[in-house]
């Protein structure tokens, strides 16, 4: 799992507590996370391409979520950043060597590929069961509200 | 998921149908899969280090499973080849920037890390629910016994 997934999730969590209708410039998101703007930019673009966040241009331009935080799951973010390719790619090893069968024997996917896909399905199901809103509720609980209040206060100053 | 996982699973599946007490030289496993011996060697060594297969030396030397095919799960093989490190590594992004809290606020793992670990746990649980023996039963069913019989016949000729 690439580092970009972690940054992207944290960005969504911040955008989720923006005041309604407000937007946050990319450089403010970078400042919030203490990271360079260019590094974050590519992940924000990926989130935008995937339809999870949207950008507005102009003097009041910036990013905001494209749907509610309840409607953005961790699977959505992982897919946006990593792409939807399977983590396991079958190389059809079964068709090689002296014991290979006739082509019609291989209509079904290889048993190894099927088992690995089942595991990926379990991973994706778990990722899709958690939303950005769930994570923010957990942060609120973990920090007894401190981080949530502090983030909202900071956003009130810098959001457009 | 690295290509090595796929090769390693296929090697275990072949070793699982070796006649009892027999061993199979690494070069025969390579031949069976139509792949170069040196490429396979590193994965066989990883399986051996993890205690899933064992090698015997001498003129009758070769590899065999170190435990029954029922007792080797896909998780065992993945851990042997990929290591047991978490796929998601938390970089403690929450502690950065202007809204970071006091150190004691961070005693628990970050909510993002916890959610990602839950997803990994689901993946691992699924991988551990399938054994090498399960895969071989599926191959037998898929090929109406053909591949299993052909493999055993080939092994009878070349196993030591």
């Amino acid at each position: 799992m690439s580092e970009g997934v972690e940054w992207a999730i944290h960005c969504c969590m911040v955008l989720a507590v923006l005041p309604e209708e407000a937007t946050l410039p990319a450089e403010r998101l970078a400042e919030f996370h203490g990271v360079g703007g260019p590094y974050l930019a590519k992940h924000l673009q990926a989130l935008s391409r995937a339809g999870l966040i949207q950008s507005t241009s102009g003097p009041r331009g910036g990013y905001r979520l494209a749907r509610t935080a309840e409607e953005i799951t961790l699977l959505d973010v992982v897919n946006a950043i990593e792409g939807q390719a399977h983590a396991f790619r079958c190389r059809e090893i079964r068709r090689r060597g002296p014991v290979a069968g006739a082509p019609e024997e291989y209509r079904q996917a290889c048993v190894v590929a099927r088992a690995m896909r089942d595991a990926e399905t379990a991973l994706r199901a778990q990722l899709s069961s958690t939303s950005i809103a769930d994570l923010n509720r957990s942060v609120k609980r973990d920090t007894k509200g401190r981080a949530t209040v502090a983030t909202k206060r900071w956003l009130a100053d810098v959001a457009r």
Side-chain angles (χ1 to χ4, degrees), chain A:
Chain A
M1 201 78 82
S2 79
E3 195 175 327
V5 168
E6 188 178 4
W7 287 106
I9 293 171
H10 279 281
C11 286
C12 288
M13 289 167 70
V14 175
L15 294 178
V17 290
L18 263 183
E20 199 140 349
E21 301 297 309
T23 66
L24 191 66
E27 54 268 34
R28 291 302 193 171
L29 265 173
E31 180 190 337
F32 183 89
H33 291 117
V35 68
Y39 174 75
L40 220 49
K42 67 176 173 180
H43 301 309
L44 294 172
Q45 281 152 20
L47 290 173
S48 182
R49 272 195 303 275
L52 305 184
I53 66 176
Q54 56 191 199
S55 60
T56 56
S57 51
R60 297 192 67 251
Y63 283 105
R64 64 175 166 230
L65 295 187
R67 45 198 212 233
T68 72
E70 300 285 356
E71 293 165 326
I72 299 177
T73 71
L74 295 192
L75 182 61
D76 294 328
V77 179
V78 169
N79 284 343
I81 302 297
E82 305 269 29
Q84 298 200 35
H86 286 290
F88 181 83
R89 192 166 70 81
C90 175
R91 289 160 191 87
E92 289 291 342
I93 292 174
R94 61 179 176 169
R95 297 189 194 221
R96 304 168 69 118
V99 170
E104 54 271 23
E105 196 174 284
Y106 302 119
R107 281 196 197 115
Q108 266 203 86
C110 176
V111 297
V112 178
R114 272 142 58 195
M116 300 307 265
R117 297 277 158 87
D118 287 347
E120 271 189 63
T121 299
L123 172 80
R124 288 170 187 269
Q126 181 63 38
L127 287 172
S128 71
S129 76
T130 302
S131 71
I132 295 296
D134 290 329
L135 294 185
N136 274 343
R137 278 189 285 270
S138 296
V139 167
K140 192 171 182 179
R141 206 163 39 232
D142 280 6
T143 66
K144 300 187 176 69
R146 202 242 7 126
T148 312
V149 168
T151 301
K152 283 183 174 167
R153 202 170 284 154
W154 184 85
L155 285 170
D157 282 344
V158 302
R160 288 172 178 170

